Amino acid sequence: MAHEQIAPTKSNLLKIKDRLNIAQEGFELLEQKREILVSELMRKVEMVKILERDLDKRVETAYPCLKRMLVVVGRERSQKLAQNITYRYELREKHVVSAGMKLPGLDVELPNIEIKYSPVNSFAECDETVLEFFELLKICTELAAVRTIAWRLAREVKRTQRRVNALEKMVIPEAVETKTYIEGVLEERERDAFFTSKLLKKKGEKTAGK
């Protein structure tokens, strides 16, 4: 990699050395941050897998339960019962601390389970279906919350990796090349000055001896 186009002076050498030290320290810190982020992301991904398995299991019981209810109660009567049922769900953003960072997450507040139709029209199949789908909804909200954090972590990992790559492949190598270049020029100047002073000394001694 080519060195930076700056004057090869001692003051610039000091500036480059300081810049190189800062870049190397930053690289080490970002590497540590990236490792922590990746570890936390893997943990969230594992949680997502577990919740997805729970979701699949609940789907396997909830939808057959719904079918049984439609058979027993009837589709038309089920629709009339459902029209009288209204639930409110609150979705809001909340900040979650993960891997030492405050990330925007998702908070879902589910209502309490209530049997809102008349006991006269109550069926065991209806109660069972309501309970099954509440559990299904609970898993869905948990999954959405964890996926949101996992997505944010993945984005932060990508951003951190870009910064690590920039330091490793551009900033640090350029600073090293510039430092080497300036040190080489200064050493060459010192050698030239040394030989020049020796020649002048010898010339002075010869002149004094005449």
Side-chain angles (χ1 to χ4, degrees):
M1 177 174 286
H3 61 77
E4 189 178 344
Q5 297 300 318
I6 60 173
T9 62
K10 289 184 178 180
S11 61
N12 280 340
L13 179 60
L14 291 175
K15 289 178 183 178
I16 287 295
K17 285 182 176 180
D18 288 341
R19 192 189 306 170
L20 181 58
N21 288 333
I22 292 171
Q24 289 171 336
E25 289 175 3
F27 174 78
E28 291 174 2
L29 290 173
L30 284 172
E31 269 284 276
Q32 293 174 10
K33 178 182 177 181
R34 187 186 65 82
E35 290 174 3
I36 293 171
L37 286 170
V38 170
S39 176
E40 185 65 15
L41 177 59
M42 293 300 100
R43 197 173 70 85
K44 294 297 182 185
V45 168
E46 194 59 35
M47 290 176 64
V48 167
K49 290 179 181 179
I50 293 171
L51 286 169
E52 284 177 342
R53 287 197 293 267
D54 292 343
L55 181 64
D56 290 340
K57 291 178 183 178
R58 184 58 63 178
V59 167
E60 289 175 359
T61 58
Y63 281 91
C65 185
L66 175 62
K67 289 180 181 179
R68 285 196 301 272
M69 185 197 74
L70 294 176
V71 170
V72 173
V73 180
R75 185 175 297 274
E76 186 177 344
R77 194 170 190 181
S78 297
Q79 288 177 342
K80 288 181 179 179
L81 290 172
Q83 287 174 357
N84 298 322
I85 301 175
T86 303
Y87 287 108
R88 291 187 60 188
Y89 306 92
E90 291 191 15
L91 297 174
R92 57 179 177 269
E93 186 180 61
K94 70 172 183 178
H95 286 92
V96 179
V97 177
S98 184
M101 297 188 312
K102 186 180 286 187
L103 299 172
L106 180 66
D107 186 35
V108 184
E109 186 175 333
L110 298 177
N112 295 323
I113 301 176
E114 297 179 17
I115 306 301
K116 297 189 176 183
Y117 41 84
S118 170
V120 177
N121 295 320
S122 179
F123 295 88
E125 289 77 12
C126 293
D127 298 346
E128 187 181 1
T129 302
V130 169
L131 294 173
E132 283 284 344
F133 274 87
F134 256 88
E135 289 300 316
L136 181 62
L137 183 59
K138 182 180 178 182
I139 296 172
C140 286
T141 56
E142 289 177 2
L143 182 57
V146 176
R147 274 181 172 170
T148 300
I149 297 298
W151 181 76
R152 302 283 186 182
L153 284 170
R155 191 171 66 174
E156 191 63 31
V157 168
K158 189 175 181 181
R159 184 185 294 117
T160 303
Q161 187 63 58
R162 282 200 301 265
R163 294 172 66 186
V164 168
N165 290 342
L167 286 171
E168 183 181 22
K169 298 177 182 179
M170 295 177 62
V171 177
I172 292 176
E174 184 181 66
V176 170
E177 286 292 327
T178 305
K179 173 177 169 289
T180 303
Y181 160 69
I182 294 177
E183 287 175 339
V185 172
L186 292 177
E187 286 174 5
E188 187 176 350
R189 286 177 182 173
E190 286 179 3
R191 285 194 298 270
D192 290 343
F194 175 73
F195 287 124
T196 301
S197 66
K198 284 191 72 175
L199 288 173
L200 290 173
K201 186 178 180 182
K202 285 181 179 181
K203 188 175 180 181
E205 289 174 351
K206 287 180 180 180
T207 304
K210 288 182 177 180

